[in-house]
Structure formats: C-alpha cells, structure tokens
Amino acid sequence: MSKDNKEFVRDFNEELVILSPGRINFIGEHTDYNNGFVLPTAIDKKVIFSFEKNGTDTQCKVYSATYDKILDFELNSLKPSDNEWENYILGVISELLKITDRVRGFNCIIKSELPIGAGVSSSAALECGLAFGLNKLFDLELPKITLVELSQRAEHNYVGTKCGIMDQFASIMSEEGKVILLDCMSQVHRLIAANFEPYKILLLNTNVSHNLASSEYNTRREECEEVVAIISSKYKNVRSLRDINKSILKEFKKELSPKLMQRASYVIEENGRVLQASESLEKGNLKRFGELMYQSHRGLQHQYEVSCKELDFLVDFSENKDQIIGSRMMGGGFGGCTINLIHENSIDDYVSTVKKAYKDRFKIDLTSFITVPSQGTSIRK
Ligand code: GLA
C-alpha cells in the first residue's frame, strides 16, 4: 500500500459500515430487461463499505482495497472515468445528485469478498452499497426501490451496460433463507423459502470472462427490442417480449430472421420455466427444479447464444451425475460461474473431480464455493 493510502486508512474515523452482497440467480436469465420473471437472491459474500463525513461541502475520497487506489472527486464536477470500478461509484453519485441536494463531502473505504467478472454481480453490490450507505449517512430517506433504480441507471449512464433490474433488486431486497420471485414488469415480488435440503448451492467459477460480455449483452437487448418493434407494428399493445406468446411469435415467422425467432423463443420459454421452477420449489419438487435449470442452460447455449465452451463443459460434466440435480450458467454469460445444486454428501469428491477435469481440458484453475441465500444490503450492527 502506498504511503498516502496507508495514511488515509489510518486516519479514517468510521461512522457507518454497510454490507452489500453479491447475488445468485437460480433461473430466469436475460429475462429481466424483457419485463419477465427472475428468481435471484443475495449471497453471503459481500462488499464492505466504511463511511465518514469529512466536513467539506463537495470533496470526496473513496479508497478501494481491491485496487489499492483512492478515487478523489468533487461533487460539483463529476465526469466518467476510464476505470470501470470508478464509474460504478461516480455513476451512483451522479444519479443521487439528480434527486437530492443533501449529499456532502464524505470518505469511504471499500473492501470486497466478491470475485470480479464471476457473474455474482460485484458491480451491483458496489452500486447498491454506496447508494444505501449515502442514504443513511446523509439521512436522505430514499426508499429502497429508489436506491435499486438509481443504481441500475448508474450502470446504464456511466458504465454503458444496459442491464435489467435483477442484480440491484436482489442485492438490496433479499432476505436470509429466501429466494425472490420477481416480476420485472410490475416489480411485484414474492419471497419463497429456499428449502433445498439435502442439496447445497455450489458455484463453480470458470475464471474466464470473455470480453464479448458487455457488447453482446447490449446486442441481445437490441435484438429483443427489434422483435418487439416488428410485432408491435401489428399488435399495438405489445411493449416487451413479456406481452408475446409462442402463437403470436409464429405469425411473424416471415418477418423475423431465424436468429430473432430463436432469441424471442428463448425468452418466452425461460419466463415459463421461472414460474414452473418457483412452483416446484414451493412444492418441494427439487428434481423438477433442477431439470428446469438444465433446460435454461441449453436455451442460453443454443438459442440465446450467451454461453461459452468453459461453461458448457461444466454443465455437461455434471449432467448425468446423480449427486447434481441442476446446473446452469449464471448471469450475463461468456464466462463467470455455473450454479449447481449438489447433494451435501458429495461436495468434496465432486469438486476435486471436476477441478481436475477442467484443468486438464482448459489449463485453467477452477475455483468453487458453497453459498447460502442471504440478507440484502444492510448496516453492520
Ligand atoms: C447481468 C445483468 C442483469 C441480467 C443478467 C442476465 O447480470 O446485470 O440485469 O440481465 O445479466 O440475466
């Protein structure tokens, strides 16, 4: 650590500590920005923020332990940076300043337990923790949903990823031991008990993050919008893929390219799977829940085309093994983690076998962790 950074940390007078978790998503991928359904929850790994007011009107310093860097800025002259992590911070501040004039100079220290680029949404954890913390530090009294939405806008406007609302919603709204069934159209959500016993949630991190992720993400979003634009020229009340079913889609077979047909079919089917999966979970039918996870992966692999060979390898590897009842890629795709439901007695054996196979095949170390559905962004007591 540089001398300046050491001094900053040493002299810090902690007033408030915020814990902001990453998230997993059991099923419902690339459905959020199509006004569809998702089934995420927060995890027990998090970003930890310490805050202090510094008595100035506009000066702010944010220290990232991950990068060992201090981001220094003034509230009245914000502009995007060339460093991605800085844009998550600056983006949140910029969105906050659009809706309140009560933010003043502050200092902040950020430490993270979340792997970056692993599909567990370290970015939403960063945005939401900062928004949540400043809301408390300056008594802004903004409701949680406002923090969710402004964090999402920060990512659109400063980072440039046109993400949906799932990650920020899960990071802030989750509750321990529950999963969230979220309707991204109405934002109505229901908490469902995460009863997976005797199975545990295993994340396998490919440790690859293909640089297609951000550009292809926005392309997928545009493809979906193109389908909606074509269909709404006849059906005026169609505003998103949520308003379309398979029979409407078929009517447009001539107007839509095979690729667009595939994308839309995937989204319609995935929305159906989320509803079936939540019902299966509530009824304790974990086998069915797991089958739907596999189906989701195959849709993402073949129809939506956002998987990659490393993720496919892990899902293929698990498929006929009794101890794993469900497995799929998670998050935006092109790398990151698979989420797996694995029997609690088989974790060590399976993890060592799959790590070896993965290393043999790709010459990359696979990392793994077991996680549990956890509390959303909160103040450390
Ligand atoms: C990323 C985005 C989310 C969502 C997922 C895919 O995590 O931030 O909004 O679209 O990809 O389901």
Side-chain angles (χ1 to χ4, degrees):
M1 207 192 281
S2 76
K3 190 164 154 279
D4 285 357
N5 294 0
K6 247 188 210 153
E7 276 173 14
F8 178 77
V9 172
R10 189 197 59 208
D11 298 340
F12 199 86
N13 186 12
E14 187 172 278
E15 287 178 51
L16 171 72
V17 177
I18 300 293
L19 308 176
S20 188
R23 64 101 189 89
I24 48 176
N25 184 27
F26 289 96
I27 195 158
E29 221 62 88
H30 289 270
T31 45
D32 59 352
Y33 55 82
N34 288 304
N35 273 347
F37 298 101
V38 291
L39 198 66
T41 189
I43 58 174
D44 52 347
K45 281 191 191 292
K46 50 206 169 292
V47 181
I48 302 141
F49 295 76
S50 304
F51 290 94
E52 64 168 356
K53 292 185 197 134
N54 62 20
T56 70
D57 274 347
T58 57
Q59 285 169 22
C60 304
K61 279 183 195 238
V62 176
Y63 171 70
S64 157
T66 307
Y67 299 104
D68 188 24
K69 254 201 98 190
I70 291 181
L71 165 65
D72 224 323
F73 59 94
E74 297 269 346
L75 292 175
N76 49 9
S77 58
L78 291 178
K79 55 175 184 343
S81 146
D82 294 334
N83 289 330
E84 196 168 74
W85 79 268
E86 298 185 348
N87 280 331
Y88 293 114
I89 307 293
L90 298 166
V92 166
I93 308 280
S94 154
E95 293 304 324
L96 261 178
L97 297 182
K98 288 180 193 166
I99 53 176
T100 175
D101 56 8
R102 284 159 64 181
V103 179
R104 295 287 178 272
F106 70 93
N107 297 334
C108 176
I109 295 178
I110 305 177
K111 296 180 185 145
S112 180
E113 305 166 350
L114 288 170
I116 293 170
V120 291
S121 209
S122 56
S123 45
L126 201 53
E127 295 149 6
C128 295
L130 182 66
F132 196 95
L134 294 177
N135 193 36
K136 289 285 167 220
L137 194 69
F138 295 106
D139 295 319
L140 307 180
E141 290 172 355
L142 299 171
K144 279 184 175 183
I145 191 66
T146 304
L147 304 177
V148 168
E149 289 170 347
L150 79 86
S151 297
Q152 182 196 20
R153 286 197 302 274
E155 192 147 339
H156 286 206
N157 297 336
Y158 259 65
V159 183
T161 308
K162 304 287 178 204
C163 63
I165 199 141
M166 168 173 75
D167 300 348
Q168 292 79 7
F169 199 97
S171 189
I172 289 197
M173 302 293 202
S174 292
E175 287 183 22
E176 194 180 332
K178 305 277 168 58
V179 299
I180 302 179
L181 171 61
L182 169 66
D183 178 342
C184 299
M185 178 139 88
S186 60
Q187 290 184 357
V188 169
H189 67 286
R190 194 151 61 81
L191 295 168
I192 300 177
N195 289 333
F196 291 107
E197 297 86 55
Y199 297 91
K200 299 279 185 210
I201 303 160
L202 168 69
L203 298 187
L204 294 176
N205 187 354
T206 59
N207 286 311
V208 298
S209 172
H210 296 292
N211 53 12
L212 283 171
S214 156
S215 62
E216 286 293 310
Y217 186 91
N218 289 344
T219 306
R220 289 299 172 282
R221 196 171 173 147
E222 283 157 22
E223 287 167 349
C224 294
E225 283 163 4
E226 213 180 316
V227 175
V228 171
I230 292 170
I231 296 183
S232 64
S233 62
K234 177 168 172 204
Y235 291 101
K236 299 288 175 219
N237 54 354
V238 166
R239 299 226 157 74
S240 67
L241 289 183
R242 175 70 180 281
D243 304 319
I244 295 166
N245 58 30
K246 277 287 183 73
S247 71
I248 296 184
L249 189 63
K250 264 196 203 135
E251 285 178 39
F252 290 84
K253 221 176 156 195
K254 285 207 189 87
E255 287 96 320
L256 295 170
S257 67
K259 189 167 79 183
L260 290 183
M261 284 295 283
Q262 236 174 263
R263 305 291 193 247
S265 300
Y266 162 78
V267 173
I268 294 168
E269 287 162 21
E270 182 77 349
N271 277 329
R273 281 190 286 264
V274 179
L275 296 179
Q276 285 183 54
S278 31
E279 202 185 312
S280 308
L281 179 60
E282 282 180 305
K283 289 190 174 146
N285 190 348
L286 296 180
K287 194 165 166 283
R288 177 73 188 135
F289 188 93
E291 283 164 10
L292 292 160
M293 287 174 73
Y294 277 114
Q295 287 174 20
S296 165
H297 183 80
R298 297 307 171 201
L300 289 158
Q301 177 183 7
H302 300 298
Q303 295 167 282
Y304 215 65
E305 297 179 289
V306 289
S307 186
C308 61
K309 58 184 186 311
E310 294 86 354
L311 290 165
D312 295 338
F313 175 86
L314 294 176
V315 174
D316 292 347
F317 195 83
S318 70
E319 196 153 24
N320 294 314
K321 307 213 167 36
D322 287 345
Q323 64 269 43
I324 301 224
I325 54 167
S327 176
R328 54 181 286 276
M329 59 152 272
M330 192 178 70
F334 303 103
C337 287
T338 59
I339 176 169
N340 307 271
L341 288 179
I342 183 166
H343 195 282
E344 59 192 3
N345 296 338
S346 310
I347 299 170
D348 292 346
D349 278 356
Y350 183 75
V351 167
S352 62
T353 317
V354 70
K355 276 188 175 173
K356 186 176 178 313
Y358 187 78
K359 180 90 189 222
D360 288 347
R361 171 75 175 74
F362 297 107
K363 314 281 175 265
I364 299 171
D365 287 320
L366 184 70
T367 43
S368 67
F369 60 97
I370 293 287
T371 193
V372 287
S374 304
Q375 177 63 39
T377 315
S378 62
I379 301 175
R380 191 175 74 190
K381 298 279 183 307

